Each structure stands twice: as structure tokens, then as C-alpha cells.
Amino acid sequence: MADLHFLANPARFRRFSQRVLPGLVFATVLSFAVGLYLALMHSPPDYQQGETVRIMFVHVPSAWLSMAGYALLAALGASLLVWRHPLAALMARATAPVGACFALVCLLTGSLWGRPMWGTYWVWDARLTSMLLLFFLYLGHIALSRAYDDPDRGDRAAAILALVGIINLPIIKFSVDWWNTLHQPASIMRLDAPAIHPAILMPLLWMAGSFLLLFITLVLVRTETEIDRRRLEMADQLS
Amino acid sequence: MTGFLALLSRDLRLAWRRPGDVAVVLAFFVVATVLFPLGIGPQANILARIAAGVLWCTALFASMLSLDRLFAADYEDGSLDLLLLAPWPLELAALAKCAAHWIVTGLPLAVLAPLLGVTFGLPPEALLALAATLLVGTPTLSLIGGLAASLTLGARRGGALLALLALPLCVPTLIFGAAAIETLMTGEDLLAHIAILAALALVALATTPWAMAAALRQAGE
């Protein structure tokens, strides 16, 4: 973390990200080209799920990244509150909608997968419900950070919310798991019942890597935009 | 501690002199609950089945509804600045405000809910369990709601935002509170559920005052 402190200055960060971004965009596109080929063409259809298993190559990475995104949000919140890094606030602003989109993609692809597999678009499965609640936590963060006329106040309120949310997430997850096992028997087919075959696992990990690159790229671009936006607002106020 | 008690008694006195504020919240609770049988239909078996969940949800909404004024009045008339300058911890002040909110709304809700439970056809032991779970669970709602209220202090569209922030965080309490009443039908241990509700309340008690104080300090800046 200490090595990253030099990036806390927005101007320095901007120079850094502008140097990194072209390569990152290139790597993302390349990685997706390979990953999508592996996932959609090369990998075999599942013996039970058939071709629908390919939805998982989008679904699982977006689930992972939406969870990692909230952890990043909490870390940024902590560094804003503890060190008052101005960049942390801007990056949190940039991260939250990206994380929310990944959560939404996860929910939508999950329900598209659920229709042929479970015969319904939505079940009150514990995992679905906790992902939905994570999506709501993201929405709360986005709404709170933009609810103030003074952007600094919104940033810091949202930072506190992210920290409270990260403490609460395990509790919510636990209670939802418990709630589901009480209310319904485990009658639905689970994805994780059999161990995943390497022919499926390899494209999945590749796609997860591609999504991670996409996530980083989007966050960097959006952070740059936030820096520019804040500069323009300051210029407006001064003139 | 004297500061805590002084603030608590001040807030209780304020609530006592304007009983209308409390009455509106309780009236909302009753009306919102009564809408469910009207919307779903009067079949006794369905109503008894959903009673616990409905009463818990409406209690949750009622306690959210009363929260947006929790710190707002002090914020507007400047009392909050005095609290910030006071020589005792702001965490205690936030806790005192939440305690007052709980005494004024959580406690009456817990008393009122069994009466409404009767109209849903809940058996007597379930009514008792309902009151007990609300008694143990509503402090958590007041604390989490107080946190949301302090975060949204001075924000645009504060009320709806408050609910958006607080409701996902209240999910564990809702789940265990409503499920506790079902234990009477399934024969599980009711005390275990109440113990978990108490644990959730203690976690909220240990964590939210710090976050509330941090939020209030920013509001005061």
C-alpha cells in the first residue's frame, strides 16, 4: 500500500493512468478476444447444462468482480477517512457504478441461465438474494455520494457507508443463507455440486482475467473523468 | 454519562410535548398493517401464516419513517454544533438520540404489534413471541436507522435515501425476527432466535455509534 501512496496525488495519478491506459485497453481487447473464443467456441458444452453453461463464463466473473468491487470501495473509503486521500474519493465515485453494473450483469445473466435450467427466471435462492442485496448496497452508495451539493460531504458519507456495508455483508450473507435453508428444501440443482472440469475451468479463469482487466480499465477511465469533472467544477467556481 | 442522560431526557421531553409525532408513526404502522388483509383477502389461514412477516416489515417501515427528523431538527437549529463542542464523546450523544428514538417508537411498536396480531388470528404464544422479538430487534433498527439518518443529514431527498441505505442493512434483523415466530409452528427453539436478535443488536450497538459520530462530525464541518 505504501508504494501506492505516490498515486494519491490526482495530477500524478492522471499522468500515470494516461501512460498505462493504452496498453491496458489493448490487453483487455486481446484478452477478451482469446477468452470469448475459448468460452464460446473452444470449450465443450456441459453434459447436463448443454450450451447454456456458456452463460457462466460471463456470470461467474461478474459475480466475483462485483464482490471484489465492494471490497475496493471499502478500502477506498478507509483511505479517504484515514489519510484523506483526495484521489480515493474520486476513485470510489468511479468504482461504485462499475461494481453495480457487474452485480446487475451477474443478476441478469443468472436469471437468463435460470430460465432453461431451473425453469424460472428468479428463485429466492440464498445466493441470488445476497447478490441482490449487494446490488442495493451499491445503489445506496451511488445515491448517497451524489446526494449533496458539496461533493466532499457526499464522498465522506459514502465512505462511512462502504465501511459499514463491508462489516455487514458477511452478516447479511449468513442470515440469507440461513433464511433460505429454513424456508425451502435444497431441491434446485446447484452449479457447484460436481467439481468443474478443466475444459470448462480454463476458459472461466481466462474470462475472469479479462473481466478483471475490463474492470481496471473502466475504473481508471472513470477516475480520470472524475478528476477532470472536479477540475472543471473548481474552475467554474473560481471564475 | 450525565450528558447521555441529559440528552436522553431532553429528547423524551420533546417527544412528550409533541405527542402527535409519535401518534402519526403508530397510526402509519396500524394503517399499513391493516392494508395487508384488505389486499390479500380475509382467509384466516393465509393471514396467520404471513402475520409475523407483515408486522415485522411494517414495523421496519414505521421506524424508518420517523427517523429522518432524528438529527435534522438539531442540525437546523444549531443544537448539533453544541453537541459537537460538548466535552463528552459524540458517540454517546448519538447513542442517546437513538435510545430516545427507540423508547418513543420501538417500544410502542412492540406493544402495539400483538394487538394487531390478534386481528391476524395469531395464537397467544405467537403474540408473546412477536412482542419479545420486536422488543429485542427494534433497537437494531433504531441504531441502523440512526446511522442512515446521520449519513443523509443535509442531503437532498433525505427521506427516501435514508430508507434505501438502511433497509438492506436491516435484512438480518428482519429475517431472524420474522422467523422466530415461525419456530412456534415448527417446534424449534425460540430462545435461539431471540439470542441471535440480541447478538445483532449488540453488534449494532458496538459499531454504529462510531460511524454515526463520524458522520455527524462531517455534517458539522
Side-chain angles (χ1 to χ4, degrees):
Chain A
M1 201 65 204
D3 305 316
L4 291 174
H5 277 313
F6 84 98
L7 289 176
N9 176 325
R12 219 176 294 152
F13 171 85
R14 212 169 177 292
R15 280 199 297 280
F16 166 80
S17 75
Q18 276 181 335
R19 210 172 313 142
V20 176
L21 258 178
L24 208 53
V25 171
F26 181 70
T28 308
V29 171
L30 198 68
S31 171
F32 262 106
V34 177
L36 283 175
Y37 169 75
L38 286 176
L40 298 184
M41 315 281 195
H42 188 263
S43 80
D46 186 80
Y47 80 102
Q48 268 184 327
Q49 305 175 22
E51 300 289 345
T52 43
V53 73
R54 302 188 196 285
I55 295 175
M56 286 296 128
F57 297 126
V58 175
H59 176 76
V60 176
S62 42
W64 285 345
L65 278 170
S66 63
M67 287 186 273
Y70 204 86
L72 174 64
L73 218 50
L76 290 170
S79 79
L80 175 66
L81 293 175
V82 176
W83 294 293
R84 304 231 158 183
H85 282 172
L87 186 73
L90 297 170
M91 204 178 224
R93 238 164 225 272
T95 306
V98 178
C101 281
F102 277 77
L104 189 62
V105 165
C106 173
L107 286 169
L108 290 178
T109 51
S111 102
L112 287 178
W113 180 85
R115 181 66 197 153
M117 285 298 108
W118 294 342
T120 166
Y121 285 114
W122 184 264
V123 287
W124 288 99
D125 172 60
R127 285 177 165 198
L128 275 74
T129 312
S130 41
M131 182 50 82
L132 189 63
L133 289 170
L134 177 66
F135 180 60
F136 290 155
L137 285 178
Y138 269 122
L139 287 189
H141 188 280
I142 295 169
L144 185 60
S145 66
R146 285 149 180 79
Y148 288 93
D149 294 326
D150 173 13
D152 287 341
R153 273 217 60 203
D155 287 334
R156 270 178 272 146
I160 296 173
L161 180 72
L163 287 177
V164 173
I166 204 88
I167 297 172
N168 254 284
L169 263 180
I171 301 178
I172 294 177
K173 177 91 180 94
F174 154 75
S175 60
V176 168
D177 278 347
W178 186 90
W179 162 76
N180 179 257
T181 46
L182 180 82
H183 280 251
Q184 313 178 333
S187 58
I188 39 181
M189 196 186 72
R190 305 297 298 235
L191 173 70
D192 51 3
I196 301 177
H197 191 268
I200 302 265
L201 185 62
M202 210 270 290
L204 180 63
L205 290 179
W206 194 281
M207 283 300 279
S210 310
F211 268 80
L212 180 62
L213 285 174
L214 177 66
F215 187 89
I216 295 171
T217 310
L218 288 175
V219 167
L220 286 186
V221 170
R222 288 184 53 87
T223 309
E224 275 192 18
T225 315
E226 288 294 336
I227 294 173
D228 291 347
R229 190 210 305 266
R230 199 59 69 88
R231 276 187 181 160
L232 284 173
E233 280 169 8
M234 293 312 270
D236 262 0
Q237 281 175 17
L238 290 176
S239 64
Chain B
M1 206 57 205
T2 46
F4 178 84
L5 290 178
L7 192 56
L8 181 65
S9 64
R10 165 185 171 267
D11 270 23
L12 290 179
R13 257 200 316 277
L14 279 176
W16 181 253
R17 285 177 191 162
R18 272 178 309 182
D21 293 6
V22 181
V24 165
V25 171
L26 296 180
F28 168 81
F29 175 60
V30 173
V31 171
T33 309
V34 164
L35 283 180
F36 279 85
L38 296 177
I40 290 165
Q43 292 91 340
N45 56 339
I46 298 179
L47 288 182
R49 170 71 188 74
I50 62 166
V54 166
L55 283 163
W56 255 95
C57 286
T58 46
L60 181 55
F61 294 150
S63 83
M64 290 302 118
L65 201 65
S66 54
L67 273 164
D68 60 337
R69 297 302 296 163
L70 184 61
F71 296 107
D74 289 349
Y75 180 64
E76 283 154 13
D77 69 11
S79 320
L80 188 65
D81 295 328
L82 292 177
L83 289 178
L84 286 166
L85 292 172
W88 41 284
L90 190 58
E91 285 81 1
L92 272 181
L95 206 56
K97 302 283 291 180
C98 289
H101 175 264
W102 179 72
I103 292 173
V104 170
T105 58
L107 211 52
L109 285 179
V111 174
L112 208 55
L115 297 178
L116 286 168
V118 173
T119 66
F120 279 75
L122 279 179
E125 65 270 20
L127 295 176
L128 214 59
L130 182 66
T133 53
L134 278 172
L135 215 53
V136 182
T138 42
T140 320
L141 306 186
S142 287
L143 286 164
I144 291 176
L147 171 64
S150 63
L151 285 173
T152 54
L153 207 50
R156 300 188 298 267
R157 48 178 192 272
L161 183 59
L162 190 155
L164 177 65
L165 300 185
L167 291 179
L169 298 177
C170 290
V171 163
T173 306
L174 173 69
I175 288 176
F176 284 101
I181 292 125
E182 287 189 11
T183 58
L184 295 173
M185 300 169 202
T186 55
E188 279 174 89
D189 190 7
L190 173 67
L191 279 179
H193 288 71
I194 291 185
I196 292 178
L197 280 176
L200 290 173
L202 288 176
V203 169
L205 186 67
T207 51
T208 52
W210 311 100
M212 271 190 274
L216 290 177
R217 281 196 192 98
Q218 284 159 27
E221 269 174 18

